[in-house]
Amino acid sequence: MKIAVVVLLGLATVLPLTAQPADPVIDQVITFMNFNQYEKAVDLLEKAVAEKPNDAARHVWLARAYVAVAPDAGMFSMMSLGRKVGNEFATAVRLDPNYIEARLGLLDFDLMAPGLMGGGVDKAREQAGEIRKRDALSGHRAFAKIAAENQDINAERAELKRAS
């Protein structure tokens, strides 16, 4: 009897994971990214996002792929890619406001991009606040990241202490 309960509990934890259909596009993109084939990942994701424009995960992965190709881009291309990164993360957040990875990506973008490109510390703080509303631990880490960016070691340490 105990063995049956253990098996059922084990299945209860495994089934939800396997019941969720994987996105073969994202699986292929991860493979491309692991082999530094960033352009192929971008091409595939641009088509995949066009096919499923309401899929927040595809928008997040497209933003990540744009970030990956940016170092090899020229100055003007980098500016264009920067805007695309911000737009893709923002779209993912709009589609799924509870998607923490999308909000963290947007926060990183806001910290790195100048205000002219749509970034800025105030926007990053706004994202960190939204993250904290949804997940306290991730929120503390987000505020710690902002403090680190501002070289405020005491605030960073305080946020990390609250997170633990």
Side-chain angles (χ1 to χ4, degrees), residues 131-153:
I131 291 167
R132 183 179 279 168
K133 286 178 191 175
R134 291 159 172 82
D135 178 359
L137 179 61
S138 294
H140 288 302
R141 289 182 177 159
F143 277 107
K145 186 180 279 196
I146 294 168
E149 187 69 25
N150 290 325
Q151 298 179 346
D152 186 346
I153 294 170

Side-chain angles (χ1 to χ4, degrees), residues 4-103:
V5 171
V6 171
V7 170
L8 286 175
L9 287 175
L11 285 175
T13 59
V14 173
L15 286 177
L17 296 175
T18 57
Q20 297 174 358
D23 185 342
V25 170
I26 292 176
D27 291 342
Q28 189 172 3
V29 164
I30 291 170
T31 301
F32 285 149
M33 304 266 297
N34 285 338
F35 288 97
N36 301 325
Q37 296 177 329
Y38 307 125
E39 290 289 342
K40 286 184 178 181
V42 167
D43 291 342
L44 177 61
L45 282 163
E46 285 177 339
K47 292 172 188 166
V49 165
E51 289 173 8
K52 282 187 163 181
N54 294 325
D55 187 325
R58 287 182 177 194
H59 286 280
V60 166
W61 277 99
L62 181 54
R64 289 174 179 165
Y66 285 147
V67 168
V69 298
D72 295 329
M75 182 64 154
F76 293 112
S77 294
M78 283 183 84
M79 290 176 59
S80 174
L81 285 170
R83 284 190 184 92
K84 288 178 180 182
V85 168
N87 289 338
E88 293 302 323
F89 279 129
T91 299
V93 167
R94 183 180 47 76
L95 291 170
D96 185 355
N98 295 319
Y99 193 0
I100 300 296
E101 290 298 316
R103 286 192 179 276

